[in-house]
Amino acid sequence: GQQVMQIPQYQHVQEGEDFTTYCNSSTTLSNIQWYKQRPGGHPVFLIQLVKSGEVKKQKRLTFQFGEAKKNSSLHITATQTTDVGTYFCAGTGIQGAQKLVFGQGTRLTINP
Amino acid sequence: GAGVSQSPSNKVTEKGKDVELRCDPISGHTALYWYRQSLGQGLEFLIYFQGNSAPDKSGLPSDRFSAERTGGSVSTLTIQRTQQEDSAVYLCASSSHRDSQHFGDGTRLSIL
Protein backbone atom coordinates (compact mmCIF):
# COMPACT_ATOMS: atom_id res chain seq x y z
CA GLY A 1 0.00 0.00 0.00
CA GLN A 2 0.87 3.63 -0.20
CA GLN A 3 3.54 4.78 2.25
CA VAL A 4 4.66 8.28 3.12
CA MET A 5 8.06 8.71 4.74
CA GLN A 6 9.20 11.88 6.40
CA ILE A 7 12.68 12.93 7.54
CA PRO A 8 14.15 13.90 9.85
CA GLN A 9 12.14 12.57 12.77
CA TYR A 10 13.50 15.26 15.06
CA GLN A 11 15.22 18.58 14.48
CA HIS A 12 16.57 21.01 17.04
CA VAL A 13 17.70 24.45 15.91
CA GLN A 14 18.75 27.76 17.33
CA GLU A 15 16.19 30.50 16.92
CA GLY A 16 16.88 32.28 13.66
CA GLU A 17 18.23 29.21 11.88
CA ASP A 18 16.45 27.67 8.94
CA PHE A 19 14.61 24.34 9.05
CA THR A 20 13.59 21.86 6.37
CA THR A 21 11.56 18.67 6.51
CA TYR A 22 11.27 16.24 3.60
CA CYS A 23 8.47 13.95 2.59
CA ASN A 24 8.67 11.01 0.17
CA SER A 25 5.89 8.80 -1.11
CA SER A 26 6.20 5.26 -2.42
CA THR A 27 3.61 6.08 -5.09
CA THR A 28 2.63 9.06 -7.20
CA LEU A 29 0.38 11.46 -5.36
CA SER A 30 -2.59 13.45 -6.57
CA ASN A 31 -1.94 16.04 -3.89
CA ILE A 32 0.09 16.63 -0.75
CA GLN A 33 -0.98 18.43 2.38
CA TRP A 34 1.00 19.81 5.29
CA TYR A 35 -0.16 20.07 8.88
CA LYS A 36 1.28 21.54 12.07
CA GLN A 37 0.63 20.17 15.52
CA ARG A 38 1.57 22.39 18.44
CA PRO A 39 2.47 20.65 21.72
CA GLY A 40 -0.74 19.55 23.40
CA GLY A 41 -2.84 20.38 20.36
CA HIS A 42 -4.22 18.60 17.35
CA PRO A 43 -2.91 18.79 13.77
CA VAL A 44 -3.98 21.89 11.91
CA PHE A 45 -4.02 22.15 8.13
CA LEU A 46 -1.42 24.48 6.63
CA ILE A 47 -1.55 24.05 2.87
CA GLN A 48 -2.27 21.75 -0.05
CA LEU A 49 -0.17 21.34 -3.19
CA VAL A 50 -1.65 19.79 -6.30
CA LYS A 51 0.47 20.61 -9.33
CA SER A 52 3.78 19.06 -10.35
CA GLY A 53 6.64 21.35 -9.33
CA GLU A 54 4.33 23.66 -7.41
CA VAL A 55 5.83 26.08 -4.90
CA LYS A 56 3.76 27.98 -2.38
CA LYS A 57 4.78 30.41 0.32
CA GLN A 58 3.20 31.44 3.58
CA LYS A 59 5.33 34.18 5.15
CA ARG A 60 8.52 32.38 6.25
CA LEU A 61 7.25 28.94 5.14
CA THR A 62 7.96 27.61 1.65
CA PHE A 63 6.29 24.42 0.42
CA GLN A 64 7.39 22.49 -2.67
CA PHE A 65 5.86 19.58 -4.57
CA GLY A 66 8.27 17.57 -6.66
CA GLU A 67 8.10 17.26 -10.42
CA ALA A 68 7.24 13.57 -10.19
CA LYS A 69 4.63 14.27 -7.50
CA LYS A 70 6.28 11.78 -5.16
CA ASN A 71 8.09 14.11 -2.82
CA SER A 72 7.61 17.40 -1.04
CA SER A 73 9.41 19.70 1.34
CA LEU A 74 8.64 22.38 3.88
CA HIS A 75 11.28 25.01 4.55
CA ILE A 76 11.08 27.56 7.33
CA THR A 77 13.34 30.58 7.09
CA ALA A 78 14.66 32.19 10.27
CA THR A 79 12.76 30.07 12.76
CA GLN A 80 10.94 31.64 15.67
CA THR A 81 9.83 30.03 18.93
CA THR A 82 6.27 30.04 17.62
CA ASP A 83 7.35 27.51 14.97
CA VAL A 84 7.81 24.81 17.62
CA GLY A 85 5.71 21.74 16.96
CA THR A 86 5.44 18.66 14.80
CA TYR A 87 5.04 19.06 11.06
CA PHE A 88 3.23 16.33 9.16
CA CYS A 89 2.94 15.78 5.46
CA ALA A 90 0.03 13.75 4.10
CA GLY A 91 -0.66 12.52 0.61
CA THR A 92 -3.49 11.08 -1.41
CA GLY A 93 -2.67 8.48 -4.02
CA ILE A 94 -3.95 8.72 -7.57
CA GLN A 95 -5.58 5.30 -7.42
CA GLY A 96 -7.64 3.31 -4.98
CA ALA A 97 -9.74 4.63 -2.13
CA GLN A 98 -8.07 8.05 -2.10
CA LYS A 99 -7.27 7.76 1.56
CA LEU A 100 -5.05 10.51 2.97
CA VAL A 101 -1.86 8.92 4.32
CA PHE A 102 0.24 10.77 6.88
CA GLY A 103 3.99 10.75 7.29
CA GLN A 104 5.44 10.18 10.74
CA GLY A 105 6.10 13.86 11.28
CA THR A 106 9.13 15.97 12.07
CA ARG A 107 9.30 17.33 15.57
CA LEU A 108 10.89 20.78 15.65
CA THR A 109 12.29 22.23 18.83
CA ILE A 110 13.95 25.63 19.04
CA ASN A 111 16.53 27.03 21.39
CA PRO A 112 15.68 30.70 22.04
CA GLY B 1 -19.34 27.00 12.12
CA ALA B 2 -18.98 23.98 14.37
CA GLY B 3 -15.84 21.94 14.04
CA VAL B 4 -15.24 18.26 14.71
CA SER B 5 -16.47 17.36 18.17
CA GLN B 6 -15.15 14.43 20.18
CA SER B 7 -16.37 13.08 23.47
CA PRO B 8 -15.39 12.45 26.12
CA SER B 9 -12.32 14.68 26.19
CA ASN B 10 -10.79 12.46 28.86
CA LYS B 11 -11.55 8.89 29.84
CA VAL B 12 -9.97 6.93 32.65
CA THR B 13 -10.97 3.31 32.96
CA GLU B 14 -9.79 0.06 34.43
CA LYS B 15 -8.02 -2.58 32.43
CA GLY B 16 -10.50 -5.03 30.94
CA LYS B 17 -13.39 -2.59 30.64
CA ASP B 18 -14.95 -1.58 27.32
CA VAL B 19 -14.89 2.05 26.17
CA GLU B 20 -16.76 3.98 23.52
CA LEU B 21 -15.36 7.12 21.96
CA ARG B 22 -17.58 9.41 19.93
CA CYS B 23 -16.85 11.67 16.98
CA ASP B 24 -19.27 14.18 15.52
CA PRO B 25 -17.81 15.34 12.19
CA ILE B 26 -18.41 18.57 10.35
CA SER B 27 -21.79 18.47 8.65
CA GLY B 28 -21.53 17.38 5.03
CA HIS B 29 -18.08 15.85 5.31
CA THR B 30 -18.11 12.47 3.63
CA ALA B 31 -14.74 11.24 4.90
CA LEU B 32 -14.03 10.38 8.53
CA TYR B 33 -10.78 9.09 9.98
CA TRP B 34 -9.76 7.75 13.35
CA TYR B 35 -6.14 7.99 14.50
CA ARG B 36 -4.29 7.06 17.64
CA GLN B 37 -1.39 9.12 18.96
CA SER B 38 0.85 8.11 21.81
CA LEU B 39 2.84 10.77 23.65
CA GLY B 40 5.47 12.29 21.38
CA GLN B 41 4.64 9.95 18.53
CA GLY B 42 3.09 10.30 15.10
CA LEU B 43 -0.45 9.63 13.94
CA GLU B 44 -1.33 5.95 13.81
CA PHE B 45 -4.10 5.39 11.29
CA LEU B 46 -6.94 3.23 12.59
CA ILE B 47 -9.94 3.35 10.25
CA TYR B 48 -11.32 5.39 7.35
CA PHE B 49 -14.93 5.90 6.31
CA GLN B 50 -15.74 7.40 2.92
CA GLY B 51 -19.38 7.96 2.06
CA ASN B 52 -21.29 4.71 1.67
CA SER B 53 -18.21 2.67 0.79
CA ALA B 54 -17.00 -0.17 2.98
CA PRO B 55 -14.67 1.28 5.63
CA ASP B 56 -10.92 0.77 5.41
CA LYS B 57 -10.20 -1.06 8.65
CA SER B 58 -6.60 -1.89 7.81
CA GLY B 59 -5.19 0.14 10.72
CA LEU B 60 -7.15 -1.43 13.55
CA PRO B 61 -4.51 -3.04 15.80
CA SER B 62 -6.61 -5.98 17.01
CA ASP B 63 -10.12 -7.41 16.95
CA ARG B 64 -10.78 -5.61 20.22
CA PHE B 65 -11.12 -2.44 18.19
CA SER B 66 -14.18 -1.67 16.09
CA ALA B 67 -15.84 1.41 14.70
CA GLU B 68 -19.06 2.33 13.03
CA ARG B 69 -20.46 5.38 11.37
CA THR B 70 -24.20 5.74 11.54
CA GLY B 71 -26.11 7.56 8.83
CA GLY B 72 -22.89 8.86 7.33
CA SER B 73 -22.40 11.22 10.25
CA VAL B 74 -21.52 10.38 13.86
CA SER B 75 -18.89 7.71 14.43
CA THR B 76 -18.17 5.57 17.46
CA LEU B 77 -14.87 3.83 18.14
CA THR B 78 -15.22 0.94 20.56
CA ILE B 79 -12.38 -0.74 22.38
CA GLN B 80 -13.26 -3.96 24.16
CA ARG B 81 -11.36 -5.47 27.07
CA THR B 82 -9.00 -2.50 27.25
CA GLN B 83 -5.30 -3.03 27.87
CA GLN B 84 -2.74 -0.59 29.25
CA GLU B 85 -1.12 -0.27 25.84
CA ASP B 86 -4.39 1.20 24.57
CA SER B 87 -3.64 4.38 26.54
CA ALA B 88 -3.23 7.22 24.04
CA VAL B 89 -5.00 10.19 22.51
CA TYR B 90 -7.60 9.12 19.97
CA LEU B 91 -8.13 11.71 17.26
CA CYS B 92 -10.97 11.94 14.80
CA ALA B 93 -10.81 13.96 11.59
CA SER B 94 -13.29 14.65 8.83
CA SER B 95 -12.99 16.09 5.37
CA SER B 96 -14.90 16.57 2.17
CA HIS B 97 -13.55 14.88 -0.96
CA ARG B 98 -9.81 15.51 -1.38
CA ASP B 99 -10.04 18.52 0.91
CA SER B 100 -8.09 19.19 4.08
CA GLN B 101 -8.74 17.21 7.24
CA HIS B 102 -10.29 18.92 10.23
CA PHE B 103 -9.33 17.35 13.51
CA GLY B 104 -11.19 17.20 16.78
CA ASP B 105 -9.47 17.89 20.07
CA GLY B 106 -9.20 14.17 20.74
CA THR B 107 -10.07 11.84 23.58
CA ARG B 108 -7.27 11.18 26.04
CA LEU B 109 -7.72 7.56 27.14
CA SER B 110 -5.96 6.27 30.23
CA ILE B 111 -6.13 2.61 31.20
CA LEU B 112 -5.28 1.88 34.82
Side-chain angles (χ1 to χ4, degrees):
Chain A
Q2 179 189 344
Q3 291 186 326
V4 176
M5 293 144 285
Q6 202 173 341
I7 56 169
Q9 188 174 359
Y10 302 98
Q11 184 75 59
H12 180 77
V13 300
Q14 290 289 128
E15 187 174 16
E17 292 182 338
D18 293 356
F19 160 75
T20 305
T21 174
Y22 300 91
C23 183
N24 291 285
S25 170
S26 58
T27 60
T28 303
L29 300 171
S30 64
N31 65 69
I32 191 128
Q33 299 176 5
W34 286 90
Y35 293 77
K36 176 183 178 181
Q37 183 177 25
R38 294 180 183 271
H42 58 260
V44 174
F45 174 76
L46 294 177
I47 206 162
Q48 176 171 273
L49 304 172
V50 179
K51 299 177 183 177
S52 170
E54 189 171 12
V55 178
K56 287 188 176 180
K57 293 190 176 185
Q58 289 180 349
K59 298 183 180 178
R60 294 177 294 103
L61 278 62
T62 302
F63 304 84
Q64 291 188 317
F65 200 10
E67 294 289 341
K69 300 184 74 172
K70 294 182 73 173
N71 56 71
S72 181
S73 65
L74 158 60
H75 180 82
I76 302 178
T77 303
T79 54
Q80 299 175 358
T81 55
T82 53
D83 296 326
V84 164
T86 301
Y87 293 85
F88 293 96
C89 64
T92 302
I94 58 176
Q95 295 179 341
Q98 301 172 357
K99 181 176 73 178
L100 188 67
V101 177
F102 276 80
Q104 284 301 101
T106 295
R107 186 175 177 183
L108 173 64
T109 53
I110 298 174
N111 206 20
Chain B
V4 177
S5 178
Q6 288 188 247
S7 60
S9 55
N10 285 282
K11 177 72 176 178
V12 180
T13 192
E14 293 179 345
K15 175 183 171 182
K17 300 286 189 183
D18 296 354
V19 295
E20 280 191 356
L21 313 180
R22 176 187 168 105
C23 174
D24 208 333
I26 292 173
S27 177
H29 279 188
T30 57
L32 188 148
Y33 297 76
W34 282 98
Y35 299 93
R36 179 168 70 175
Q37 189 172 38
S38 299
L39 188 63
Q41 301 300 308
L43 299 170
E44 179 186 1
F45 165 76
L46 297 178
I47 190 167
Y48 164 52
F49 296 90
Q50 173 59 58
N52 295 321
S53 302
D56 178 344
K57 304 179 181 181
S58 61
L60 295 178
S62 78
D63 59 8
R64 296 187 296 105
F65 288 73
S66 63
E68 62 178 21
R69 188 179 185 191
T70 53
S73 181
V74 172
S75 177
T76 302
L77 176 69
T78 301
I79 309 174
Q80 296 178 310
R81 305 181 302 281
T82 52
Q83 304 293 314
Q84 287 187 332
E85 60 263 29
D86 299 335
S87 296
V89 175
Y90 289 81
L91 290 164
C92 173
S94 71
S95 71
S96 54
H97 180 60
R98 292 184 181 270
D99 203 351
S100 61
Q101 286 194 7
H102 298 257
F103 284 79
D105 289 335
T107 294
R108 183 175 300 279
L109 177 63
S110 300
I111 310 299
L112 303 178

